Amino acid sequence: MNITKLTLSELSQKFQDGELTSREITEAFIKNIEDRDKDINAFVTTTFDLAREMADAADSRYQNDTLKSPLDGMPIDLKDVISTKEVRTTASSKILNDYQPPFDATVWKKLKNAGAVLLGKTNTDEFTMGASTENSVFGVTKNPYDLTKVAGGSSGGPAASVGANFSAGSIGTDTGGSIRQPASFCGATGLKVSYGRVSRLGTIPMASSLDTIGPIAKTAEDCAMILQIIAGKDEKDSTTSPLEPVNYKTFLEKKISGLKIGVPKEYIIDGIDSEVLQTFNASKAILEDLGAKIIEISLPHTKYAVPTYYIVAPSEISANMSRFDGIRFGTKKGEKDLEEIYTETREEGFGDEVKRRILIGAYSLSAGYYDAFYRKAQKVRTLIKQDFEKAFEDVDAILTPVSPTPAFDIGQNTEDPLKMYLEDIFTIPASLAGICGLSTPIGKSKGNLPIGIQLLGPAFKEELILQIAHQMQKSIQK
Amino acid sequence: MITQDEVRHIAKLTKLKLTEEEVVKFTKQLGSVLDFFGQLQEVNTDDVEETSQVTGLQNITRPDVITVDGNEEALLNCTPHKIENHSIKIPKVI
């Protein structure tokens, strides 16, 4: 039995049945990371000693019949923007190179309380700004299916970790597609929750009105298991919803016959890769086989989503990044006076993409351009949100491609920021609307690269898209 | 089209000390991104409200009770500067 190839749900079952110990499971993942991560570079920091300690504690709980949750004893990794007390948390930025948070993010606190075992912190584009993990100060994360291709981004580390069988599950963040696109590139299932479903406290922010935190794992069932632990209101994050999370697992086995699945015509654009299109059409056929109805719909403002996002997000970024001033935490450069400390710390500590977004944001918010850029984008955001609200009057969920191409070559888009921004063209609209979405693997390209599809659901209907994805995954497996 | 002087000006406002090389590079790259934003002007937004958040939640409050986490020392120890009298010591401001 190759332990690392099992799903989280299978591992959990075997652990709870006494077939495998948490220590055995954990050692299997550690060995795989030690053997292969020098080629893939998914991990920024490994915490193997801590992992062994946590695994042994889980094994004691098994012996004493005091297991805490289905996730107890399961080895996971966290994207390196999730604060972990006394474990280095860098956001893959030079400015936080030695930063050890004095507290745990709520999402990690909940996972830890559920008994999860931490294998380490995984790579991201600097402060999650990017679509390829090439903007990491620790170097690019390579695609486990082809080392010349990117793993996607910004959650390239977590997605590659799951794709390479380095962990049983992972936590990523998704602001404009940063879970869905890398999960699709690495053959994993990635869930972007509705805005407000999971607490953001202690997760280093990028764009506060868009940031979400969610699971990446092998299957929709695994994602449901992780979501159950991390979802819910947090007194310390006032944007979390008071709506109680449902029991996600109980929805998975329900049939999807009769469900209406919308296919927006605006997502079939020129320049979309032919194999991505084939996969998309194949997924429509799978859904029809399962008894769902495919209905063509229109989301008329789709083409304006990317420019809207790249005004709204950088505007929020320019505000969020002001906290990195070389005073309270992080690295520091300059001695003479405060001005020198601020400017030299930031010049030295931030990479190009962070600087670009700070500049774009500050420009969009500046007195002369506020109406033409920021205010205009906030209004178009409303129209994009309304497109989805209207669509969900007629359909239960929406099916689209995840990204116009499968994983692209390392270095292919790095010189042209605009080209990289267009990578997120299919994932950004849902982020602006605050609804939930996921990507699930469907097929592979001729070059053996995984290709997924995206399912979008109304806000706080995670159970519905997980159910659809689970049914599709079961039908593909048959 | 954004000019090099405008880039220098925003960099100053956002406390970014850019090299001349960066000014040239970012002016070009930002120019094409800002051009791309221009297409939003096609959209009629006359009677459209702005969306600044999507939660629909308003006035979230909690009881005004002081809680102490007890990690002030740990928070203070995150600074790269000297600590004196339970404070971070920085260069003179005025």
Side-chain angles (χ1 to χ4, degrees):
Chain A
M1 171 173 49
N2 186 335
I3 291 176
T4 64
K5 285 191 174 167
L6 298 178
T7 66
L8 174 62
S9 314
E10 290 165 339
L11 287 169
S12 168
Q13 194 63 52
K14 289 194 186 300
F15 172 55
Q16 310 242 349
D17 290 347
E19 266 184 67
L20 287 170
T21 65
S22 173
R23 184 64 186 257
E24 282 169 334
I25 296 168
T26 302
E27 292 293 351
F29 283 112
I30 290 176
K31 176 147 193 337
N32 206 13
I33 297 166
E34 283 177 339
D35 287 349
R36 294 171 56 222
D37 198 40
K38 50 186 181 298
D39 297 326
I40 291 170
N41 195 34
F43 281 78
V44 168
T45 304
T46 54
T47 53
F48 296 156
D49 290 343
L50 175 67
R52 290 184 172 110
E53 210 177 285
M54 296 179 101
D56 290 346
D59 286 330
S60 303
R61 286 193 292 275
Y62 172 77
Q63 292 298 336
N64 300 330
D65 218 3
T66 53
L67 287 177
K68 296 171 168 185
S69 81
L71 214 57
D72 205 335
M74 296 298 110
I76 61 157
D77 65 87
L78 304 171
K79 186 175 182 177
D80 208 18
V81 289
I82 314 282
S83 294
T84 42
K85 191 175 179 178
E86 287 157 19
V87 173
R88 184 170 82 136
T89 301
T90 67
S92 290
S93 178
K94 209 170 166 184
I95 212 162
L96 289 178
N97 193 44
D98 303 313
Y99 175 59
Q100 298 209 353
F103 68 106
D104 285 324
T106 298
V107 57
W108 172 230
K109 198 184 263 181
K110 285 184 162 190
L111 288 164
K112 201 156 71 171
N113 288 341
V117 169
L118 183 67
L119 289 166
K121 309 293 292 289
T122 38
N123 206 7
T124 166
D125 285 290
E126 184 177 4
F127 289 104
T128 77
M129 298 178 203
S132 65
T133 324
E134 287 166 294
N135 298 330
S136 163
V137 73
F138 302 106
V140 63
T141 295
K142 293 172 188 151
N143 193 300
Y145 287 82
D146 179 345
L147 298 177
T148 67
K149 309 282 183 190
V150 299
S154 66
S155 306
S161 170
V162 171
N165 302 320
F166 288 164
S167 71
S170 181
I171 300 294
T173 65
D174 189 317
T175 305
S178 279
I179 283 177
R180 289 161 284 165
Q181 182 252 34
S184 175
F185 283 8
C186 295
T189 307
L191 174 68
K192 174 234 176 285
V193 300
S194 313
Y195 183 84
R197 181 70 296 173
V198 173
S199 167
R200 293 177 296 114
L201 181 99
T203 298
I204 298 168
M206 171 160 95
S208 300
S209 81
L210 298 156
D211 290 345
T212 63
I213 298 160
I216 299 177
K218 287 194 176 81
T219 66
E221 189 182 9
D222 293 354
C223 286
M225 188 193 276
I226 299 173
L227 178 63
Q228 199 69 54
I229 305 293
I230 63 175
K233 188 171 167 57
D234 180 0
E235 288 299 321
K236 290 181 173 172
D237 175 357
S238 58
T239 62
T240 48
S241 171
L243 265 178
E244 277 292 320
V246 297
N247 185 341
Y248 296 103
K249 197 184 156 112
T250 59
F251 288 82
L252 296 175
E253 296 303 338
K254 292 189 181 168
K255 297 271 173 285
I256 62 165
S257 57
L259 282 186
K260 285 182 276 182
I261 311 288
V263 172
K265 59 176 192 228
E266 289 83 3
Y267 280 58
I268 306 307
I269 53 166
D270 289 342
I272 191 167
D273 178 273
S274 64
E275 290 181 302
V276 168
L277 204 53
Q278 270 171 26
T279 309
F280 175 66
N281 289 328
S283 67
K284 285 198 280 191
I286 295 170
L287 284 167
E288 280 174 330
D289 276 353
L290 290 166
K293 279 195 207 88
I294 303 289
I295 298 168
E296 187 176 285
I297 58 166
S298 174
L299 300 166
H301 297 92
T302 298
K303 74 176 265 208
Y304 302 109
V306 176
T308 299
Y309 176 88
Y310 277 99
I311 292 171
V312 172
S315 296
E316 296 181 15
I317 287 165
S318 70
N320 270 332
M321 290 297 125
S322 63
R323 78 192 65 198
F324 298 99
D325 56 3
I327 304 293
R328 289 158 302 158
F329 41 71
T331 57
K332 178 208 93 167
K333 211 174 170 244
E335 292 296 333
K336 202 172 82 215
D337 52 24
L338 278 180
E339 186 71 16
E340 187 187 281
I341 292 173
Y342 294 156
T343 57
E344 294 203 356
T345 299
R346 289 161 70 82
E347 168 63 15
E348 180 85 6
F350 289 146
D352 278 6
E353 183 58 20
V354 177
K355 288 177 187 168
R356 270 193 295 269
R357 294 199 192 186
I358 291 172
L359 293 169
I360 294 170
Y363 187 80
S364 302
L365 291 170
S366 64
Y369 299 96
Y370 187 90
D371 284 334
F373 288 132
Y374 186 68
R375 196 190 303 278
K376 186 79 184 180
Q378 298 280 80
K379 289 184 172 180
V380 180
R381 184 175 183 181
T382 304
L383 296 172
I384 292 165
K385 192 167 170 269
Q386 288 171 350
D387 280 355
F388 282 107
E389 284 162 4
K390 280 187 205 127
F392 285 128
E393 287 172 11
D394 299 324
V395 297
D396 299 293
I398 294 171
L399 175 78
T400 79
V402 183
S403 168
T405 63
F408 46 88
D409 288 337
I410 292 168
Q412 186 182 316
N413 291 338
T414 42
E415 291 309 308
D416 185 351
L418 190 55
K419 223 175 140 200
M420 193 69 96
Y421 296 170
L422 290 167
E423 269 300 311
D424 298 333
I425 192 161
F426 300 143
T427 47
I428 275 178
S431 295
L432 288 167
I435 61 174
C436 62
L438 62 73
S439 68
T440 172
I442 297 292
K444 286 213 185 110
S445 73
K446 288 190 196 79
N448 195 39
L449 292 168
I451 303 175
I453 54 93
Q454 175 175 238
L455 285 165
L456 302 174
F460 303 110
K461 291 292 268 181
E462 281 80 3
E463 63 275 16
L464 175 69
I465 55 174
L466 286 167
Q467 174 200 345
I468 300 170
H470 177 69
Q471 293 298 325
M472 291 176 86
Q473 290 176 358
K474 280 210 320 192
S475 128
I476 291 170
Q477 232 176 21
K478 269 185 203 158
Chain B
M1 187 56 89
I2 192 165
T3 64
Q4 292 190 4
D5 277 343
E6 282 178 301
V7 169
R8 277 191 204 95
H9 178 63
I10 318 164
K12 193 161 180 266
L13 296 176
T14 53
K15 304 287 181 210
L16 288 173
K17 180 185 148 188
L18 301 183
T19 63
E20 269 314 292
E21 201 183 304
E22 284 179 314
V23 170
V24 174
K25 180 171 69 178
F26 290 153
T27 303
K28 185 166 165 276
Q29 290 174 336
L30 264 53
S32 64
V33 173
L34 295 172
D35 268 1
F36 177 68
F37 293 167
Q39 60 177 300
L40 290 186
Q41 302 310 319
E42 302 164 10
V43 189
N44 182 346
T45 52
D46 282 352
D47 294 309
V48 179
E49 299 254 343
E50 295 165 41
T51 294
S52 52
Q53 57 112 331
V54 293
T55 63
L57 302 171
Q58 278 183 349
N59 299 334
I60 305 301
T61 59
R62 59 175 170 78
D64 187 12
V65 179
I66 296 171
T67 56
V68 180
D69 284 343
N71 64 349
E72 306 87 35
E73 284 302 318
L75 286 168
L76 210 50
N77 284 334
C78 291
T79 184
H81 298 266
K82 286 203 182 81
I83 301 168
E84 255 182 53
N85 298 326
H86 213 66
S87 307
I88 299 170
K89 191 176 179 187
I90 56 165
K92 213 151 75 171
V93 178
I94 305 166

